[in-house]
Amino acid sequence: MKIKYELISKDKNARLGKLHTNHGTFDTPMFMPVGTLATVKTLTPEELKDVGSAIILSNTYHLWLRPGEDVVAKAGGLHKFMNYDGPILTDSGGFQVFSLANKKDITEEGVYFKSHIDGKKLFLTPELSIQIQNKLDSDIAMSFDECIPYPADYEYAKNSTERTLRWAIRGKNVHKNENQSLFGIVQGGEYEDLRNYSAKETVKIGFDGYSIGGTSVGEDKKTMYKMVDDAIKYLPEDKPRYLMGVGEPADIFEGIERGIDMFDCVLPTRLARHGNAFTPNGKINLKNLKYKEDFEPIDNHCDCYTCKHYSKAYIRHLFVSKEALGGRLLSIHNIRFLIKLTENIRKSIKKNQFLDYKKEFLTKYNNK
């Protein structure tokens, strides 16, 4: 079946809902861990389940390069290949247009890349992106788009936005997996009229859900939130809304306040690999000397495996000793922190106390 979104209740614009998928029904708003190469770095599927993970992400471009979509298809699809029985979303490769391709390599037909693995010349089109995702057999496929850089001049943003819409139609026309939902992506850069136009036209094409892309690409927070404001007012209430690449707690609150249901980001695992941990009082770096004899958990109120069993002193020791377990333990904690945050936000929406909880959390988190 296609995914189905069920709106349960609202607290102003903040939405409490349920997302029905082929691999279970899950509450929204939700945070989705990123597993680019069919793995959330260092963690097993069982550990992801333990932290309350629902949807996880993998990436079309990277899986296309290795092991290849045909290998994944022969394994029985991405779920069987990586042994994850929850829902999976595949990003289309659009972010790699932003991060790996040169502007001159973006054409109407598609995008030329040089493989980051061996330098081989590659060409990814909207049709090929969707065909790869059909074979990967994720629950949710994403339209192929260009993630517009920031800043970008108006003419460039306009041309890119219009091309992304044409790509969305081309991708939808070849989408053949009846059990896979397809999301459209709103672009438009920092320009209100382009965001409005992109949102309205993407909805006209008709998708199973809608994403707001092109944020968290270097813009200031005020601009980022305005990008969301300019797009979300045109997105339908009965479909899920996904803000791509966002994982800072403050940004999650701001997105939910505007009506966002789904978030993803590599931030929790990236921070973890560098010794950083989320706490209710802000981020801390456990490599700091002051934690050498701190035998308390990262957070006494956290219910994750790491906080139940290990101290800050031990985790610091692991990092100083260059032991991989340190990054694993912090990844478990950081992902659980963001998933627990969305669990608490859902409770606050249910009680019509979202704004009170936002103020309470961020005041403490920002140490104000």
Side-chain angles (χ1 to χ4, degrees):
M1 70 171 191
K2 304 288 187 180
I3 64 162
K4 295 179 182 176
Y5 176 76
E6 179 185 357
L7 179 60
I8 304 299
S9 65
K10 292 178 71 174
D11 182 357
K12 296 183 173 59
N13 289 324
R15 292 152 46 104
L16 182 67
K18 288 188 179 293
L19 199 62
H20 303 275
T21 79
N22 285 317
H23 291 86
T25 295
F26 302 93
D27 297 325
T28 62
M30 65 164 63
F31 176 78
M32 306 180 291
V34 175
T36 302
L37 285 159
T39 172
V40 176
K41 289 188 185 301
T42 76
L43 302 187
T44 67
E46 291 76 19
E47 287 167 329
L48 291 170
K49 288 297 184 69
D50 285 345
V51 298
S53 176
I55 301 177
I56 62 171
L57 272 70
S58 286
N59 183 272
T60 296
Y61 167 85
H62 289 282
L63 294 176
W64 175 42
L65 267 57
R66 57 184 178 193
E69 69 275 19
D70 289 330
V71 172
V72 176
K74 286 178 183 176
L78 201 47
H79 296 86
K80 289 185 178 178
F81 184 63
M82 64 183 292
N83 189 36
Y84 187 74
D85 62 3
I88 300 173
L89 182 153
T90 43
D91 192 9
S92 66
F95 184 75
Q96 280 65 49
V97 179
F98 164 78
S99 60
L100 297 177
N102 295 315
K103 285 183 181 180
K104 64 181 176 59
D105 296 327
I106 303 170
T107 71
E108 181 66 27
E109 186 59 28
V111 181
Y112 290 94
F113 294 93
K114 278 189 177 179
S115 167
H116 68 287
I117 299 170
D118 58 12
K120 181 181 177 182
K121 195 170 185 180
L122 305 167
F123 188 54
L124 187 59
T125 68
E127 291 85 358
L128 180 55
S129 172
I130 296 300
Q131 288 161 355
I132 293 168
Q133 292 181 81
N134 281 177
K135 287 186 177 181
L136 295 175
D137 199 27
S138 54
D139 297 85
I140 300 171
M142 301 300 299
S143 293
F144 188 60
D145 67 323
E146 181 192 357
C147 179
I148 299 171
Y150 179 88
D153 65 61
Y154 184 85
E155 194 63 25
Y156 182 92
K158 181 175 184 292
N159 290 335
S160 174
T161 298
E162 291 172 342
R163 183 173 56 235
T164 284
L165 287 166
R166 293 191 292 271
W167 284 357
I169 294 169
R170 286 167 53 187
K172 185 181 178 185
N173 286 341
V174 300
H175 185 255
K176 303 300 183 187
N177 189 329
E178 293 182 356
N179 289 317
Q180 184 183 65
S181 296
L182 181 61
F183 278 28
I185 302 177
V186 176
Q187 288 292 343
E190 63 190 283
Y191 302 102
E192 180 177 358
D193 63 325
L194 296 181
R195 285 279 170 182
N196 293 173
Y197 172 73
S198 179
K200 289 188 281 191
E201 293 301 312
T202 303
V203 171
K204 284 181 185 177
I205 297 169
F207 291 97
D208 303 305
Y210 296 91
S211 303
I212 298 174
T215 67
S216 291
V217 291
E219 77 279 8
D220 59 88
K221 297 296 186 183
K222 182 179 178 182
T223 300
M224 174 185 167
Y225 302 149
K226 188 174 185 303
M227 288 175 174
V228 178
D229 286 332
D230 292 341
I232 200 165
K233 56 190 173 185
Y234 297 107
L235 301 184
E237 287 245 316
D238 62 344
K239 298 289 177 68
R241 301 160 171 179
Y242 165 27
L243 183 58
M244 305 176 77
V246 167
E248 281 284 359
D251 297 339
I252 289 174
F253 273 105
E254 293 292 338
I256 290 171
E257 186 173 348
R258 288 161 168 80
I260 296 294
D261 308 301
M262 302 160 64
F263 302 85
D264 83 280
C265 196
V266 298
L267 186 64
T269 49
R270 179 175 290 168
L271 287 174
R273 293 194 299 277
H274 292 90
N276 296 289
F278 287 117
T279 81
N281 296 300
K283 291 191 284 283
I284 61 172
N285 190 324
L286 290 175
K287 291 187 287 186
N288 288 344
L289 183 62
K290 67 179 180 179
Y291 299 114
K292 185 175 182 177
E293 296 183 8
D294 188 335
F295 303 111
E296 292 295 311
I298 299 167
D299 178 4
N300 281 300
H301 301 289
C302 181
D303 58 5
C304 79
Y305 173 83
T306 301
C307 288
K308 286 179 179 177
H309 295 93
Y310 299 101
S311 68
K312 292 192 280 289
Y314 178 67
I315 296 170
R316 180 184 184 275
H317 157 71
L318 293 174
F319 274 95
V320 170
S321 304
K322 301 189 185 311
E323 288 288 340
L325 181 59
R328 272 177 43 74
L329 293 177
L330 284 190
S331 291
I332 289 170
H333 169 77
N334 284 348
I335 292 175
R336 178 58 189 155
F337 183 90
L338 294 183
I339 290 175
K340 181 72 171 179
L341 174 62
T342 56
E343 290 173 358
N344 289 335
I345 287 173
R346 293 197 297 263
K347 291 175 185 176
S348 74
I349 295 172
K350 191 173 184 179
K351 296 176 181 177
N352 288 313
Q353 296 174 350
F354 170 74
L355 291 178
D356 292 336
Y357 180 59
K358 175 190 173 188
K359 181 179 179 180
E360 174 191 335
F361 178 93
L362 292 179
T363 298
K364 188 176 180 182
Y365 187 80
N366 294 323
N367 294 305
K368 290 181 178 177

